[in-house]
Each structure stands twice: as C-alpha cells, then as structure tokens.
C-alpha cells in the first residue's frame, strides 16, 4: 500500500497533464517532447518510490522496476501512437535533410519572403533531378507539413515508396506509366482533328473514348486525347493537331480517373496547407524547361471553384544545381519566385471557358518558373554563358549564391536575344570563349575562374607546402575512405546503370543524368548499413576485440565517414592546385600561358564593353555596376604575394 499509493497518484497526475498537452494540436512536436518528459519523470518517480536503502548500496526490486517501466510505457505509447504521423513526417524530413547535406557541399535558399505564412500554397518546382528535387523542397520549404505529389508508379520502389508513405505523398497516376504499344501507325494533317490508322491499326479494340495516344516523332513526344473512336482506322481527337503526323508508331494509355487525387489536393488546400507539384510531368536533364502539364492549373482553379472563400497562392520554385546536380559534393540553389495569387475572380472564366482559363494560368506559371531557372538551348551554350559571366565578374567581387545565379540568369537571357546574337562581335566572342575554355582545361585551370598567374617561376615556391598539406589530408581521410570509397564506387556504378535504363525509356532525356543523384543516394542508404555491419563482423571475427569495444566505435562510423568526406574534398582541391604550379616551371608552358593571359584580358574587356553598349533589359539595374568593376582591385598583380597565393589555390580548386 505504501509503495503503490504514490505511484497511482503520480500516474493519475501525469495522465491529466498528458491529456491536456495533447489537446494543443497546434504544437504537436512540443506536445510530444512534453509527454515524453512526463513519461521519463514518471519512471524516475517510480524508481525513487520503490527504492530501499540497505547501508551504502541502493537495491531495487525487479518487480518494482518492471512495474515502473510498464507505467511509463502506458503514458508514452498512446502519446506516440496518437502523434505517429507528425513524428514520422518530422523524422523522415530530418533524415532527408541530413542526407542532402551529406551529398551537396552547399545548399542555398532564396526568396523565402515570397511564400505566405498562412493560407493555401502550391509550390511549383522545376524537375531536373528526379527524387532529389522533391527532397530539396521537403528540406527547404518553411511550411510544414508539405504534401508532395509523385507518380504512383514510384510507390512500388522499396526505398522511395517507404519515404513517400512516411511524409504523406499524394500519388498521381500517369497515363504513360501503363501505356501499351498500339497496332499499326497513325497519320494526320496539321490542324485536323481526325487521325487515320494504317498498317493493321485496331482502334476499336485497343483505343477507347477518352484514351490518350503517346507519339514520338521529329516534333518530340506528344500526347493526343481521343474524343471518339470512329472505326478501326479512324478516330476523332479532342483538339486539332499542332503539327502533321505521318506514319508514326504510337502507344495507347487508357483514361485515368484523377478524381481521388484532385480531392486530396483540394482537401489539403482547403485546410490552408501546402502542396508541391512538378508540372513538367517527369524529370529530365535538358537545359531548358519542358511544356507544363495542365494539372497544376486545374488544382488551383478547381480548389477556388469548390471553396470560393479560398485564395490560393502559386509559388514558382527553381531547383538549380552546379555540375548538373549529379556529382557528389556539388552545390544546389532553391529559388522561390514571385507568387501568383488565384482568387474567386478567376472562377467565372474557368466555368465558362475552362480551356482558355487553364491555358492563361499555365502561361503565367511557365513565365514564373523560367524566371527562377536557367533555360538555354544546349549544354555547350550553357558552358558559354557560365564562362562569359565569370569573365565579366572581377575575381575580388564576391557574390552571394542568389546574386551569382541572378547574374548567370541575366546572361542566359541576354545572350539569346536576337539583337545581341545578330551583332558580329557576338560570334567572335563565342569562338574566343570556346578557345579560352580549351586552353584553361589543358593547363589545369577552371574555365569559370578568372585568376591566371602571370609570373610562372614563382609558383614552385608553394609546391612543398601543397604536398605536405595534401599528404596530411589523405592520411586523415583514410578511416573515412575505408568506410565511404567502396559504397561510393558501388553506388556510382549502379546509378549509371539506372541512368542508361532510364534513357532507353525516355524521349526527353539526353544522357539520363537527372536520375544519377537520386540512385546514388538510394544505393548509399542501402549499402552503407550493410557495409558497416560487414566491417563490424570482420573486426569481431579477425581480432580479439569484444562487443564492448567494437560497438562504441561502430556508432562513430557516421562521424568518421563525414570527416573522411571533408578531408578527401580538401585533398582533391589541393591536388588540383599542384599540377598547374608544376606546369608553370616548364619553359614550354610560358608561351601558352602568355596566350591565355592575353586572351583572358581581351575577353574581359570585350564582354564588359558589349554589356555597356548593347541594349538589354538589365542595363540600368545591374548586379555589378561598371563603377564597381573599375574600382575593383587589379586581378593580375606583378608580385606573387601570400594573399595572391591563397586566391590562386581557391580559384584553381573551386568547382
């Protein structure tokens, strides 16, 4: 009686406090923390109640201990169960964020002020890095919970599906995921709504009203919606053909019912939550934006139509990566653009002319998304833009990631303007920039850096320092290399195989690089625990060490792995700096060095002159003004000072 009386009283008080704290649903994580603390306090109270001193030693009855643990679990387990969705979401988000910090060297977020603090929001993201895009939005969005949309076919993947279910992803059934090859071929004239079949087509048996035909021809991949099947060799389309079709093979995708998906989205928006969608439909590794699907416009307009009191805010989100985003320890920039507000004023047009209302909104979203992403014709032009931007920017003017991207975005837009491309100086600059990149790479320089050394023989002075630091970095990285290298090499191998398979199935991918980063992370998540377990087993089997020593060391594997990455990263930077310095000691190098220096200075002056003389939208609102350029420190000093040495090493190793 004296033992269990206080216990029952303490448990009753704890349960009352727990029930009261659970009622405050607006702070679920704080509630979880408070309830867990209450459970731990109750367990300690139980132990203190049932403890009996016998001399200097404290002895506790086993029955009392078990009773105390059971009482604590009676409080903790219901609380955890009631808050399981919030706890699962927060845990998955924390894990995904840690994984991204491990993969990327730097993640920058810009434009958070464009996301309203309250009210329904739709985040519209670019899609050039498959599952990594969704992970970045999940990690960088200031509003939670975030309801992501994802292809339903991805839910069948073991790792991706588990993560998607953990954060409450809304599945989207895409027609192309279940498409089958159609018999024969199809043809049709531009502007016609009739499609003719040939070579044994069987429209009646294979194609139904409302189905979609997936075509791949010179115009790219197109989706045509069937309004009505007329016969085995003729069908009527819901819209006229934008371009002629002649003897093209096709796939048939049955009509998909999206009502459940739209209902889920409308419900989330009605509750004032945030939904994220990638309207390009699928990831790709092109350097320009793909045409947007109508789903995002139907979500926003449909939600306002169903709930007239709502005002839905659409926020374009540019997910931009250095080196394409598929390379380990690259950089990422999440840029939230100007919001687009959809209110009840847009509903009348949506009711009377749905096609025109959706098309108009898609045009606005497309423009907003292009304002926060780079859009250039091809990779060669992208390299040209990046080099021009770096030559324009003085080496000693440091920009933030957001400013650097904005400057690159302006050059990408400006260099595609017809008035600039028609200027004869443009072709000359482009040819010389191509030659400059080739010279930089052949001599060990990063073409996106403007620091090239004038005094060659002085470079040998810091080679011993570089070699010493490089050796120490590699020695410090050995434990991490043992943990990371096998897993990293295996992940790269399997990811490249997945990229090759994805490339065969897609008509929009160029090299399939958009899936590489995602599969690298997936294979790392699977292989790293297995490799760590194998190492622990080998140590226990081959050495006399016991579990009491090996287990604490195994718990430090993540720390060793991360330190190994950082030391290896630094070692690579220093190793990149050694070769150019060695080359500068060779007489044969000086001729190329002089040519490179002259070409660099010439390009700087010509690019800056073109920026001053030619008409472009940003002429009067520059990120780097002409005055700042003129006032910048000399970039090619005569003396090889210690300050210049540091700048050289950073410039050579950057990127």
């Amino acid at each position: 009686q004296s033992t269990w009386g206080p216990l029952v009283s303490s448990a009753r008080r704890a349960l009352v406090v727990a029930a009261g704290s659970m009622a405050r649903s607006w702070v679920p994580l704080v509630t979880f923390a408070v309830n867990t603390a209450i459970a731990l306090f109750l367990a300690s109270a139980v132990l203190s109640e049932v403890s009996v001193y016998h001399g200097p030693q404290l002895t506790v009855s086993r029955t009392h201990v078990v009773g105390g643990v059971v009482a604590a679990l009676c409080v903790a387990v219901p609380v955890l169960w009631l808050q399981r969705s919030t706890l699962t979401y927060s845990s998955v988000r924390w894990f995904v964020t840690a994984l991204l910090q491990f993969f990327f060297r730097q993640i920058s977020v810009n434009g958070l002020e464009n996301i309203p603090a309250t009210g329904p929001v739709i985040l519209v993201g670019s899609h050039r890095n498959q599952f990594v895009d969704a992970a970045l939005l999940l990690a960088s969005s200031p509003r939670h919970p975030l309801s992501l949309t994802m292809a339903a076919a991805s839910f069948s993947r073991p790792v991706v599906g588990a993560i998607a279910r953990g954060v409450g992803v809304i599945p989207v059934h895409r027609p192309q995921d279940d498409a089958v090859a159609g018999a024969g071929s199809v043809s049709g004239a531009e502007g016609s709504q009739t499609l003719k079949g040939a070579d044994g087509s069987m429209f009646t048996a294979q194609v139904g009203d409302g189905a979609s035909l997936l075509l791949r021809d010179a115009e790219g991949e197109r989706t045509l919606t069937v309004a009505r099947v007329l016969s085995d060799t003729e069908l009527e389309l819901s819209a006229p053909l934008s371009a002629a079709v002649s003897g093209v093979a096709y796939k048939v995708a049955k009509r998909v019912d999206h009502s459940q998906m739209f209902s889920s989205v409308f419900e989330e928006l009605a509750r004032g939550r945030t939904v994220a969608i990638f309207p390009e439909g699928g990831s790709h590794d092109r350097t320009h934006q793909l045409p947007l699907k109508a789903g995002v416009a139907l979500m926003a307009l449909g939600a306002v139509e169903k709930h007239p009191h709502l005002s839905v805010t659409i926020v374009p989100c540019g997910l931009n990566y250095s080196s394409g985003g598929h390379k380990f320890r690259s950089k990422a920039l999440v840029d939230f653009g100007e919001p687009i507000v959809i209110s009840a004023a847009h509903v009348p047009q949506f009711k009377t002319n749905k096609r025109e209302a959706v098309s108009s909104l898609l045009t606005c979203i497309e423009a907003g998304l292009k304002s926060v992403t780079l859009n250039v014709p091809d990779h060669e032009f992208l390299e040209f833009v990046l080099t021009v931007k770096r030559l324009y920017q003085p080496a000693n003017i440091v920009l933030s990631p957001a400013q650097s991207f904005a400057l690159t975005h302006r050059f990408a837009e400006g260099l595609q303007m017809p008035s600039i491309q028609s200027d004869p100086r443009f072709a000359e600059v482009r040819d010389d920039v191509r030659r400059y990149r080739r010279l930089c790479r052949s001599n060990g320089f990063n073409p996106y850096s403007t620091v090239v050394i004038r005094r060659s023989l002085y470079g040998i002075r810091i080679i011993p320092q570089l070699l010493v630091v490089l050796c120490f970095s590699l020695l410090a990285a050995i434990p991490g290399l043992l943990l990371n290298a096998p897993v990293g090499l295996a992940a790269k191998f399997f990811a490249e195989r997945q990229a090759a398979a994805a490339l065969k199935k897609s008509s929009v991918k160029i090299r399939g690089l958009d899936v590489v980063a995602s599969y690298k992370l997936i294979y790392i998540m699977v292989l790293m625990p297995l490799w760590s377990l194998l190492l622990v087993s080998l140590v226990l089997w081959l050495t006399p060490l016991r579990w009491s020593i090996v287990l604490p060391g195994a718990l430090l594997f993540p720390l060793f792995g991360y330190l190994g990455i950082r030391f290896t990263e630094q070692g690579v930077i220093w190793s990149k700096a050694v070769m150019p310095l060695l080359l500068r000691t060779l007489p044969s190098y000086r001729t190329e060095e002089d040519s490179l220096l002259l070409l660099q200075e010439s390009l700087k002056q010509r690019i800056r002159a073109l920026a001053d003389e030619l008409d472009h939208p940003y002429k009067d609102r520059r990120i780097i003004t002409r005055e700042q350029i003129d006032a910048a420190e000399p970039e090619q000093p005569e003396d090889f000072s210690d300050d210049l040495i540091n700048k050289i090493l950073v410039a050579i190793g950057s990127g």
Side-chain angles (χ1 to χ4, degrees), residues 610-621:
L610 286 173
D612 291 337
E613 297 170 12
L614 297 177
D615 290 329
H616 52 85
Y618 308 107
K619 193 169 185 177
D620 298 325
R621 45 191 183 97

Side-chain angles (χ1 to χ4, degrees), residues 214-225:
L214 310 181
L215 280 62
R216 185 184 300 180
D217 56 10
E219 298 293 326
E221 193 172 74
R222 288 188 282 172
T223 301
L224 306 178
T225 303

Side-chain angles (χ1 to χ4, degrees), residues 189-192 222 224 239-244:
E190 181 179 353
S192 173
R222 288 188 282 172
L224 306 178
L241 288 169
S242 58

